[in-house]
Amino acid sequence: MKKIITYGTFDLLHPGHINLLRRAKEIGDFLIVGVSTDDFNHKKNKDAYHPFDSRKVIVEAIKYVDKVIPETNWNQKVDDIIKYDIDLFVIGDDWKGKFNFLERYCDVIYLPRTDGISSSKIKKDRF
Ligand code: C2G
């Protein structure tokens, strides 16, 4: 079974998030998503509209997602990859190159972002 992991805030869920998760699941069999906690979002300078518990419930309801874990810090990825026996780390190419150090532990793929949509754009356009 090919196990995949990705991480993100996934606030105000939109097609860009879904496209990423769909393509990640198409490459493997079991997709784990690390959803950023509220505290970690502050460290990422991200101010999510939905609190972690809401974002967790929403991401867990996505048919491509098999398991959701909390993302509490920048340094947990290696431990997660080992703990969950991950074959492939996937993330959008806005992060291109940032996680190449994980290649010692699993394959790393940067998928093209979906243009024209983001949580911050939604907040700006509608709130
Ligand atoms: N994404 C995308 N297209 C968009 C918006 C987001 O493909 N239009 C992807 C991002 O590249 C990321 C995932 O959807 O792979 C989640 O995006 P965010 O919630 O913005 O997550 P981010 O803040 O990038 O957090 O340790 C990694 C970080 O937690 C990633």
Side-chain angles (χ1 to χ4, degrees):
M1 175 166 69
K2 188 168 184 179
K3 298 177 78 177
I4 304 188
I5 198 163
T6 189
Y7 297 81
T9 298
F10 295 99
D11 189 36
L12 300 177
L13 201 68
H14 57 68
H17 297 137
I18 298 300
N19 288 340
L20 188 284
L21 296 170
R22 174 179 47 72
R23 286 173 294 164
K25 187 60 181 287
E26 281 166 356
I27 316 174
D29 307 294
F30 192 88
L31 175 59
I32 300 177
V33 181
V35 173
S36 310
T37 60
D38 297 329
D39 286 349
F40 184 48
N41 268 336
H42 292 319
K43 291 185 190 128
K44 286 169 44 176
N45 293 318
K46 275 211 157 180
D47 185 16
Y49 176 79
H50 288 300
F52 171 74
D53 289 346
S54 302
R55 289 181 284 112
K56 179 174 185 286
V57 162
I58 291 166
V59 173
E60 281 172 340
I62 299 169
K63 66 180 180 181
Y64 307 119
V65 177
D66 297 290
K67 181 176 179 64
V68 172
I69 60 172
E71 183 188 30
T72 60
N73 65 83
W74 289 113
N75 308 310
Q76 71 183 77
K77 293 183 177 70
V78 171
D79 292 341
D80 290 342
I81 287 165
I82 294 166
K83 177 179 176 183
Y84 296 106
D85 190 23
I86 297 295
D87 301 292
L88 175 63
F89 169 86
V90 171
I91 199 159
D93 63 3
D94 44 321
W95 292 94
K96 194 159 183 62
K98 297 288 192 307
F99 298 111
N100 292 357
F101 68 93
L102 296 175
E103 283 168 349
R104 285 182 54 200
Y105 306 94
C106 66
D107 292 339
V108 173
I109 290 185
Y110 300 97
L111 294 173
R113 264 177 80 90
T114 302
D115 289 333
I117 186 76
S118 68
S119 307
S120 40
K121 181 177 183 337
I122 293 168
K123 276 188 257 186
K124 204 164 56 244
D125 290 356
R126 283 285 176 269
F127 292 96

